[in-house]
Amino acid sequence: MENRQLVIFFDKLQSGIRKKELIKLVISNQRDHTSDLKSLIISIVEIKKGVRLNFVYRYKTKDITKNFDPEEAMILIKKSLEDDFLNADLFSNNETLRLLITGHGKVKIRSNQTVLKPAADFTHDHKKERIITTQHNIYLRELGILNVNFEVRAEMNDKYLQINRYIELLEPFIRELQVKDGFHVADMGSGKGYLTFALYDFLTNISGKAPLMTGVETRKELVEFCNIIAEKASFTNLKFIRGDIREVVLEKPDILIALHACDTATDDAIFRGITAGASLIVCAPCCHKQIRKEFNVTNELKAITKHGILEERQAEIITDGIRALILEAHGYKTKVFEFISTDHTPKNLMIVGRKMPGKSAGTKKSLEGIRAIKEIFGIKKHYLEGLFVAQDK
Ligand SMILES: C[S@@+](CC[C@H](N)C(=O)[O-])C[C@H]1O[C@@H](n2cnc3c(N)ncnc32)[C@H](O)[C@@H]1O
């Protein structure tokens, strides 16, 4: 392909990549209309290993996404224009260029000063960049967080922020984990998979790890829905299975996640994580009905718990406080913190437990703490504690 117009076009493309001014390159207009590959959309992404070019291969029924280093990407772009396509539209911060190849091999370039606004998630202001970016993010689009132009839909902005916050919070815990390729992540009560997809994306495409991930969910329609999206996004090591947290047959998880799993489903998940010896257990509890029903306050605290809302909040604190103590009793170092502002969701508490090798010092103290708290509130049974008692019988 030695043609002056082509040389100019590829020079501009290379310069756009180098200066990070490229917004996107769209390669289209098939030479041979029998192919299933309809177009290619290429944009810049920055991952831990450096700048990459993200290729979205648009097929008739699915999109496949791959990242290439800039050198390899240039070879692939040239080849696709030689063999498969006749047009390339280059959108950069300061101009748009259209490359047209005729059937007879003539090449023209048209320039247009109409300039696209930089994509919302790839500006030079890296402070504003979110970890989970929107550019050609297939799973976020399929989940309805983005529109067809890969922009965050106004009504889904809170969800998008929540997903990013979740990843930001987990990032330091994941960084310090010593895991081998093929480590297993189980997401218990994965629901529509918003956070499951984001975590898989983060682990594989940003952290450069190689997990196997399973979303566990009782609702068949959600399992099917998520498996379809995983396939569309080419998330080959992410699977969703139908099952109950309590009994699902699962490979031993190294990381166990349970976000907003209803009431005692959080306890079932923690129990499975602890008994499997998971290195990291992360949960964001949901409703706290079990302990509230158990409350039987007969001491001075009655003056407070007589107010329904205060009793409810107290039940939340006690439920999650005891969960953290149980984790500690089993050798986990715990952190309890706010997940995201209550403006975004009232279910905003996160409990993280990191398994400390050989650590058992906290055990006695933690168990004494649990006993004392139960006594103050007249609690006979904490569901999670009961699971361990039943196991020991
Ligand atoms: C509130 S949704 C949260 C979904 C997701 N984790 C998130 O944070 O976006 C809770 C999900 O857990 C599922 N679930 C509840 N109990 C379960 C159980 N025992 N086993 C499997 N899934 C369960 C529900 O069907 C529901 O989809």
Side-chain angles (χ1 to χ4, degrees):
M1 261 201 175
E2 268 325 304
N3 172 295
R4 211 176 104 70
Q5 302 290 303
L6 279 174
V7 173
I8 295 172
F9 184 82
F10 285 118
D11 275 354
K12 296 244 181 199
L13 176 60
Q14 236 152 3
S15 146
I17 295 168
R18 199 177 51 250
K19 295 181 185 162
K20 296 184 189 163
E21 286 175 354
L22 174 73
I23 294 170
K24 64 178 172 181
L25 175 73
V26 181
I27 300 181
S28 60
N29 195 4
Q30 295 166 299
R31 286 175 183 264
D32 169 1
H33 289 276
T34 57
S35 164
D36 266 1
L37 179 62
K38 298 291 163 206
S39 63
L40 255 173
I41 302 168
I42 297 155
S43 55
I44 301 178
V45 286
E46 272 194 292
I47 60 174
K48 223 173 164 187
K49 293 176 190 160
V51 169
R52 293 287 182 272
L53 288 182
N54 176 264
F55 280 47
V56 178
Y57 292 86
R58 283 253 149 107
Y59 288 91
K60 221 171 177 176
T61 52
K62 63 179 177 191
D63 289 349
I64 292 182
T65 309
K66 285 186 184 160
N67 286 346
F68 298 100
D69 68 53
E71 218 170 286
E72 198 180 356
M74 286 305 290
I75 296 169
L76 292 172
I77 292 167
K78 284 182 185 170
K79 186 149 173 47
S80 75
L81 284 167
E82 274 172 8
D83 299 345
D84 305 321
F85 294 100
L86 294 164
N87 291 7
D89 290 282
L90 187 160
F91 301 91
S92 73
N93 283 354
N94 38 33
E95 72 176 332
T96 65
L97 277 186
R98 166 162 271 208
L99 179 84
L100 297 146
I101 305 171
T102 68
H104 305 291
K106 279 198 176 161
V107 181
K108 285 185 211 156
I109 302 181
R110 289 203 190 121
S111 171
N112 185 345
Q113 292 309 314
T114 320
V115 169
L116 278 185
K117 268 197 350 227
D121 58 345
F122 196 85
T123 67
H124 293 292
D125 183 356
H126 288 274
K127 276 185 231 119
K128 285 186 193 153
E129 235 179 78
R130 304 261 169 224
I131 299 183
I132 300 297
T133 57
T134 57
Q135 270 184 326
H136 307 301
N137 188 320
I138 293 165
Y139 67 87
L140 286 184
R141 184 191 65 193
E142 295 298 315
L143 289 168
I145 290 173
L146 307 181
N147 63 21
V148 287
N149 297 320
F150 295 97
E151 295 152 344
V152 179
R153 291 165 60 188
E155 65 276 26
M156 296 306 278
N157 196 43
D158 277 358
K159 198 79 204 171
Y160 179 60
L161 291 178
Q162 189 193 32
I163 288 171
N164 275 285
R165 183 78 186 120
Y166 164 63
I167 299 298
E168 269 172 36
L169 287 171
L170 285 199
E171 197 271 336
F173 297 108
I174 287 168
R175 201 177 334 121
E176 70 177 29
L177 266 186
Q178 306 282 332
V179 281
K180 294 198 185 105
D181 282 358
F183 67 99
H184 186 218
V185 185
D187 188 345
M188 303 299 217
S190 48
K192 235 182 142 185
Y194 292 112
L195 302 155
T196 329
F197 284 108
L199 181 59
Y200 182 86
D201 186 13
F202 174 72
L203 289 171
T204 52
N205 298 324
I206 302 169
S207 295
K209 297 191 188 291
L212 296 174
M213 196 156 167
T214 313
V216 175
E217 171 56 55
T218 43
R219 288 165 62 190
K220 185 168 171 260
E221 69 282 9
L222 293 181
V223 171
E224 286 169 359
F225 171 78
C226 289
N227 276 327
I228 291 171
I229 298 179
E231 200 182 329
K232 280 190 184 169
S234 303
F235 285 179
T236 40
N237 287 326
L238 171 60
K239 300 276 175 286
F240 292 84
I241 57 172
R242 190 176 180 199
D244 191 303
I245 297 168
R246 284 170 290 192
E247 59 203 12
V248 68
V249 178
L250 209 59
E251 196 184 320
K252 171 187 150 354
D254 297 289
I255 301 181
L256 182 129
I257 312 278
L259 303 170
H260 308 137
C262 322
D263 198 15
T264 51
T266 299
D267 298 301
D268 291 315
I270 297 174
F271 179 69
R272 289 209 63 166
I274 293 177
T275 49
S279 306
L280 185 67
I281 297 178
V282 177
C283 57
C286 184
C287 32
H288 300 73
K289 296 192 197 111
Q290 188 259 325
I291 280 292
R292 189 164 179 199
K293 283 190 224 132
E294 283 279 317
F295 267 9
N296 183 18
V297 182
T298 50
N299 52 35
E300 295 82 347
L301 280 173
K302 184 124 186 98
I304 294 173
T305 53
K306 69 180 180 191
H307 302 288
I309 182 66
L310 297 181
E311 186 188 46
E312 190 181 323
R313 292 201 181 153
Q314 198 64 255
E316 287 176 19
I317 293 171
I318 300 304
T319 307
D320 293 331
I322 293 183
R323 283 171 175 158
L325 283 166
I326 291 175
L327 277 161
E328 283 163 20
H330 288 88
Y332 285 79
K333 190 169 178 183
T334 58
K335 257 194 174 178
V336 179
F337 49 89
E338 254 189 359
F339 176 8
I340 195 160
S341 147
T342 38
D343 293 347
H344 300 290
T345 170
K347 302 178 224 164
N348 71 341
L349 201 81
M350 193 172 254
I351 305 173
V352 176
R354 282 168 295 157
K355 181 107 182 123
M356 294 288 125
K359 186 172 186 285
S360 58
T363 308
K364 194 160 170 268
K365 209 169 141 208
S366 312
L367 293 176
E368 274 167 13
I370 297 170
R371 194 194 48 72
I373 293 164
K374 279 170 64 188
E375 201 174 303
I376 295 168
F377 289 92
I379 299 166
K380 288 208 171 69
K381 180 187 164 195
H382 184 288
Y383 182 87
L384 177 55
E385 196 188 21
L387 293 175
F388 284 100
V389 173
Q391 187 197 37
D392 292 342
K393 273 186 185 161

